[in-house]
Amino acid sequence: MAADPIDATQIACSPDDARRRIKENWIRVCDEVAQAATQTGRGATDVRVVGVSKYVDAEVTGWLVKAGCRDLGENRPQVLMQKADWFSANEPDVAGEIRWHQIGHLQRNKVRRLLAFKPLIHSVDSERVLDEIHNEAISQSISVDVLMEVNVSDEAAKTGLPVVELPGLFERHCSRVASADSGEFGARVIGLMAMAGWGTDPQQARPQFARLRDLRDQMRQQTNLALPELSMGMSGDYAAAIAEGATMVRIGSSLFSGVLK
Ligand SMILES: *Cc1c(COP(=O)(O)O)cnc(C)c1O
């Protein structure tokens, strides 16, 4: 599924054109996100755009950062870590401003090293991974923000926790946090994430986004967690996601349009 990220010699145009196109794309996407946000009565900057840079290598990712993007999403933890190291070495001035987002499946054996990069982890899709992040964060004396990824489509092929597992998982997690003396350290669940899946049209995606928001509201009622964040919406369906309350949209291909072959 994950093709290797392309580099500056493999793009569809000259590097100068690519930089210009990425900048135009970034401005256009931000405008459209701002417009969709204000239509729901929120502020123009209330919905955060996570630039999904998995399609391109670190250098081309740097062009997106130059365009103004400071939130970068990667689906493979290995690549996230390599790129973060690349920015520290090659773009030290902006490296500290970048917020990394782990948006793809995370294996437990990658958790320990990933935490050093202070990512927001969107894709916690099992209780085992949540426990691993929690334990590891406590042992490193840090707090890690995470989102639980939920399968809101009821299709077996889709990623994320089955909806029926959410109440039990939240209950056990909250009672663990309450009974342990770990202070502010550990995994902090700040919301939910879902994918409508590739090729789903926005009309079909919208009820799935509404379902994720309802689940968030239910988990809020059941626990005393604030759960402010809803990460939902990609290039093809982010307007629908924002209409249903998305606070973060994960956008890749729209930002690289005209640049990728
Ligand atoms: C690739 C990816 C995206 C971005 O998808 P686009 O359609 O390219 O905008 C968003 N979320 C996840 C989890 C992804 O893997």
Side-chain angles (χ1 to χ4, degrees):
M1 173 195 105
D4 280 336
I6 67 160
D7 64 38
T9 66
Q10 299 167 300
I11 54 180
C13 54
S14 73
D16 281 346
D17 282 342
R19 287 194 198 89
R20 193 162 48 241
R21 286 176 189 175
I22 289 170
K23 174 125 199 180
E24 286 165 6
N25 292 339
W26 171 250
I27 291 169
R28 189 192 64 246
V29 165
C30 289
D31 281 350
E32 287 171 11
V33 166
Q35 210 164 48
T38 51
Q39 277 166 13
T40 66
R42 287 180 284 172
T45 57
D46 285 354
V47 177
R48 192 173 351 176
V49 179
V50 176
V52 176
S53 48
K54 67 185 181 191
Y55 303 110
V56 297
D57 75 348
E59 182 188 1
V60 181
T61 301
W63 302 345
L64 180 60
V65 173
K66 284 253 160 59
C69 180
R70 292 293 181 274
D71 288 278
L72 294 177
E74 288 289 334
N75 57 355
R76 294 194 278 174
Q78 208 74 37
V79 177
L80 187 158
M81 295 189 277
Q82 282 164 5
K83 282 192 184 175
D85 284 338
W86 185 91
F87 276 94
S88 296
N90 296 280
E91 303 277 356
D93 293 344
V94 290
E97 293 175 16
I98 297 172
R99 176 97 206 245
W100 292 96
H101 297 256
Q102 171 63 37
I103 61 171
H105 177 67
L106 179 60
Q107 285 174 314
R108 286 189 303 160
N109 63 6
K110 299 276 173 22
V111 166
R112 187 172 53 77
R113 285 199 301 133
L114 184 67
L115 293 193
F117 299 89
K118 301 189 170 58
L120 170 58
I121 304 172
H122 292 232
S123 46
V124 182
D125 56 5
S126 74
E127 192 158 359
R128 279 156 49 106
V129 172
L130 178 63
D131 288 348
E132 180 75 17
I133 295 169
H134 189 62
N135 294 336
E136 193 52 47
I138 288 171
S139 78
Q140 295 185 23
S141 298
I142 56 173
S143 163
V144 181
D145 287 347
V146 307
L147 308 174
M148 300 306 305
E149 180 178 354
V150 188
N151 179 349
V152 286
S153 71
D154 288 331
E155 283 171 46
K158 295 273 168 66
T159 55
L161 278 157
V163 168
V164 293
E165 290 181 19
L166 270 192
L169 181 149
F170 269 87
E171 186 175 323
R172 286 186 293 276
H173 181 71
C174 287
S175 65
R176 268 195 75 190
V177 170
S179 65
D181 193 18
S182 44
E184 71 270 38
F185 302 136
R188 213 163 61 103
V189 185
I190 60 168
L192 302 180
M193 180 272 226
M195 298 220 301
W198 285 277
T200 311
D201 75 68
Q203 247 18 317
Q204 291 173 312
R206 189 160 170 168
Q208 297 178 32
F209 298 143
R211 189 169 187 210
L212 192 73
R213 188 196 55 227
D214 287 345
L215 286 166
R216 188 275 307 272
D217 294 347
Q218 283 172 37
M219 290 306 103
R220 228 183 215 167
Q221 285 248 302
Q222 182 195 303
T223 66
N224 52 13
L225 299 173
L227 303 177
E229 303 290 349
L230 285 174
S231 167
M232 54 190 195
M234 316 196 299
S235 291
D237 55 21
Y238 63 89
I242 293 170
E244 294 297 347
T247 61
M248 283 186 264
V249 289
R250 308 177 309 270
I251 299 186
S253 36
S254 288
L255 295 175
F256 296 103
S257 104
V259 176
L260 303 175
K261 280 179 181 145

